[in-house]
C-alpha cells in the first residue's frame, strides 16, 4: 500500500504562561508515516500532544515546523478529505441527529433530497433509526457518539481521525462500537488515526500502535500488531498474542511516564487503568 | 391538563383578591380619590372604542413609536453585538467602558436633552425608545456571541466550513436565543420609556392621555389607563417570552 499520510518533523509550541519568550513544546519533531487504508492508534500519557497532533493533521492549527503530506501533497486548511471526531463529540445542540449528520454534506453542496438519502443510510448504519429527529440532549452518551461518527462518515472522507471517541461510553457499548468501527473500516478501506487512553482498545483495533512520550511529545516507539483480521475485539483479547502485545505497550507507556518531564497530570494517562494481569 | 387548570386558578386568586380589595376600598376611600374597578373598567373599555376619547388611537400612536425605536435598536444592537462579540473583539474591549457608561445614564434624565436635539414630537420619542432599547439588546447579543462554544466552531471548520457557513450554521444559531432575551428586555424598557416620554411635551400617545385624564380629574380613566398600560406591557412581555422559550429549548436542555 502507498503512503497516505507523511508526518515530517512536526513541532508545535505554545507560549508559556508568565515567561513571554519562553515556549512550551506540546509536540516536537514528530514523524510518522501512515499507509493507505491503515488503522493506526496513538497512545501516550495525558498532555503528550495527541489532540494537538490531530489538530495539525486536520488543519485546524498550523505547525511551527515540519509538514504534513497527504498523497504526497502538503495540506492547507481543513478539507473534506479528512474528518475528525473531536474529543467530546461537539454535536450541534440545535440540530437533530439528521441535521448533524447532514452538516458536512451541506458544506459539500449536496442538494437536499440526496442529503436526506445519504443521512438515512448512515442513520441505519450506526443504528439510530427512530432517533433521527431527536436533539443531542435527548440522546444517551453512546448515541451521541454514534451521531458524531455518522456525521464524519456521511461526507465520506478518505482519512478518519478520532480523539478518544469511546471514552465516555460503558464497556458493553464500547465493544459494540469498536466492532462496528472495524467493520466500517474493513468495508470502506479508509485510513484511520485513532487516539485512545485504553491500551486494550489500541491493541485490539490497530495495525500499528504509536506510543508517544511526553515533554516533548514524540513517537517513542511503534508496535506492529500482527493479529489476524477480520477481528472482533471481544474474542481477540483472550489470545496469548494479544496479551503479549498488551504487555509490551503497557511497558512502553510506563517508561514514557517515568521518563516524562515534570509537567503535572502525566500519571492520569495509564495509572489506575487495568494492569495486564487483570486481562490474562 | 388538570394540573394546568389548577395552576391557573391558584395564580388567579391574588389577582381576584386585589380587585375585590380595590372594589371594597373604593367604597371607604375619601371622596374623589379612588374609583372602584366596576366603574373604571367599563369606562376604559368604552374609551377604547369611543370616537371622542380615542384611547385605541393613542395606543396605536405609542405602539408605532415603540415599534420604530425598538425596531431600529434591534437592527443596530444585534448587528453591532454580533460583530463586536465575534470578529471585532479588540474593538469591543476598547468600547466596553464607554458602553457601560451609556447604559447607566438615567434615561429619564435624558428626556430634556433629547428634546433639545430632536424637538418635542415623534422623533424625540422614537430616539428615546431607541436609546433605552439599544443597550440591553446590544449587551445581551454581544455577550452571547462572545461565548460561542469553540469546540462547535472547530467541528464545523474541521468539516471544511468557510467563514460564512460557520457564521450561518454555528454562531448565528448559538446566539439566537439570546437575541430574543435581549429583545424581551428591550421591549420591557421601551414600554416604561414611552409612557414617561409622552408625559412631557407631547400631544398624543398613552403617556399624554394619562396625564390629560389627570389634568381633567377624570378618575375613572386615570385609573383605567394605568390598568390598561399595565395589561399592554404584560401582553408584549408574554409574546417575547414565548419567542425566547421557543428558541431556547435546546440551550436550556443542552446546558442544564
Ligand atoms: N491552546 C493551548 N495553549 C497552551 N497550551 C496548550 C494549548 N493546547 C494544548 N496545550 C498544551 O499542550 C499539551 C498537549 O495538549 P494536548 O491536548 O494535545 O494533549 P493530549 O495528549 O491530547 O492530552 P489528553 O490525553 O489529556 O487529551 C498540554 O500540556 C497542554 O497543556
Ligand atoms: Mg487530547
Amino acid at each position: 500500500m502507498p503512503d497516505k499520510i507523511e508526518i515530517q518533523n512536526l513541532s508545535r509550541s505554545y507560549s508559556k504562561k508568565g515567561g513571554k519568550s519562553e515556549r512550551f513544546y506540546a509536540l516536537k519533531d514528530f514523524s510518522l508515516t501512515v499507509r493507505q487504508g491503515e488503522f493506526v492508534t496513538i497512545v501516550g500519557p495525558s498532555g503528550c500532544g495527541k489532540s494537538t497532533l490531530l489538530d495539525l493533521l486536520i488543519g485546524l492549527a498550523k505547525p511551527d515546523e515540519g509538514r504534513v503530506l497527504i498523497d504526497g501533497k502538503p495540506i492547507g486548511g481543513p478539507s473534506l478529505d479528512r474528518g475528525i471526531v473531536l474529543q467530546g463529540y461537539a454535536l450541534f445542540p440545535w440540530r437533530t441527529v439528521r441535521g448533524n449528520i447532514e452538516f458536512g454534506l451541506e458544506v459539500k453542496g449536496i442538494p437536499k433530497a440526496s442529503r436526506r438519502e445519504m443521512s438515512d443510510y448512515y442513520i441505519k448504519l450506526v443504528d439510530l433509526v427512530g432517533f433521527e429527529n431527536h436533539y443531542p440532549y435527548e440522546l444517551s452518551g453512546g448515541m451521541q457518539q454514534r451521531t458524531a461518527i455518522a456525521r464524519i462518515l456521511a461526507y465520506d472522507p478518505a482519512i478518519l481521525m478520532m480523539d478518544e471517541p469511546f471514552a465516555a461510553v460503558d464497556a458493553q457499548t464500547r465493544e459494540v462500537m469498536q466492532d462496528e468501527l472495524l467493520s466500517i473500516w474493513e468495508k470502506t478501506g479508509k485510513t484511520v488515526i485513532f487516539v485512545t487512553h485504553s491500551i486494550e482498545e489500541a491493541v485490539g483495533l490497530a495495525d500499528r500502535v504509536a506510543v508517544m512520550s511526553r515533554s516533548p511529545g514524540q513517537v517513542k516507539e511503534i508496535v506492529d500488531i500482527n493479529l489476524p483480521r477480520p477481528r472482533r475485539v471481544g474474542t481477540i483479547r483472550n489470545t496469548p498474542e494479544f496479551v503479549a502485545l498488551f504487555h509490551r505497550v503497557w511497558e512502553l507507556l510506563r517508561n514514557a511516564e517515568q521518563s516524562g518531564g515534570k509537567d503535572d497530570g502525566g500519571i492520569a494517562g495509564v495509572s489506575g487503568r487495568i494492569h495486564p494481569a487483570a486481562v490474562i | 391538563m388538570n394540573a394546568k387548570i389548577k395552576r391557573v386558578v391558584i395564580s388567579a386568586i391574588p389577582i381576584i383578591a386585589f380587585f375585590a380589595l380595590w372594589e371594597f376600598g373604593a367604597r371607604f376611600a375619601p371622596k374623589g380619590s379612588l374609583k372602584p374597578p366596576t366603574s373604571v373598567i367599563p369606562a376604559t373599555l368604552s374609551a377604547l372604542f369611543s370616537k371622542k376619547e380615542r384611547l385605541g388611537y393613542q395606543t396605536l400612536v405609542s405602539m408605532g413609536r415603540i415599534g420604530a425605536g425598538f425596531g431600529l435598536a434591534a437592527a443596530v444592537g444585534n448587528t453591532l453585538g454580533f460583530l463586536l462579540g465575534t470578529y471585532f473583539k479588540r474593538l469591543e474591549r476598547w468600547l466596553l467602558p464607554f458602553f457601560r457608561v451609556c447604559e447607566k445614564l438615567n434615561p429619564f434624565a435624558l428626556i430634556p436633552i433629547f428634546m433639545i436635539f430632536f424637538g418635542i414630537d415623534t422623533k424625540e420619542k422614537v430616539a428615546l425608545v431607541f436609546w433605552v432599547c439599544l443597550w440591553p439588546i446590544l449587551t445581551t447579543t454581544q455577550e452571547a456571541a462572545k461565548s460561542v462554544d469553540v469546540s462547535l466552531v472547530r467541528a464545523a471548520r474541521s468539516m471544511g466550513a468557510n467563514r460564512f457557513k460557520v457564521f450561518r450554521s454555528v454562531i448565528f444559531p448559538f446566539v439566537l436565543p439570546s437575541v430574543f432575551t435581549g429583545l424581551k428586555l428591550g421591549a420591557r424598557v421601551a414600554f416604561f420609556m414611552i409612557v414617561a416620554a409622552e408625559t412631557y411635551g407631547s400631544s398624543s400617545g398613552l403617556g399624554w392621555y394619562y396625564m390629560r385624564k389627570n389634568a381633567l380629574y377624570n378618575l375613572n380613566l386615570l385609573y383605567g389607563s394605568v390598568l390598561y398600560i399595565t395589561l399592554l406591557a404584560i401582553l408584549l412581555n408574554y409574546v417575547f417570552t414565548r419567542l425566547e422559550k421557543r428558541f431556547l429549548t435546546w440551550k436550556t436542555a443542552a446546558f442544564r
Side-chain angles (χ1 to χ4, degrees), chain A residues 14-15 24 26 44-53 87 163-164 197:
Chain A
Y14 297 105
S15 53
F24 158 75
S46 184
C48 72
K50 302 181 294 295
S51 296
T52 304
L53 172 70
Q87 209 165 357
D163 200 348
E164 299 184 36
H197 268 138

Side-chain angles (χ1 to χ4, degrees), chain A residues 89 91 136 139-147 165 168-170 173:
Chain A
Y89 318 157
L91 295 174
L139 304 174
S140 71
M143 290 165 139
Q144 294 183 19
Q145 180 57 70
R146 278 179 273 162
T147 308
V169 299
D170 64 84
T173 316

Side-chain angles (χ1 to χ4, degrees), chain A residues 41 48 52 63 68-69 84 114 127 133 140 212 231 259 277:
Chain A
T41 55
C48 72
T52 304
V68 179
L69 303 180
I84 185 165
S114 2
D127 203 13
N133 295 322
S140 71
M212 282 178 74
R231 287 184 207 159
S259 62

Side-chain angles (χ1 to χ4, degrees), chain B residues 25-39:
Chain B
R27 316 215 166 252
F28 296 95
K31 214 172 155 38
S33 67
L34 188 61
K35 290 273 185 191
T38 40
S39 86

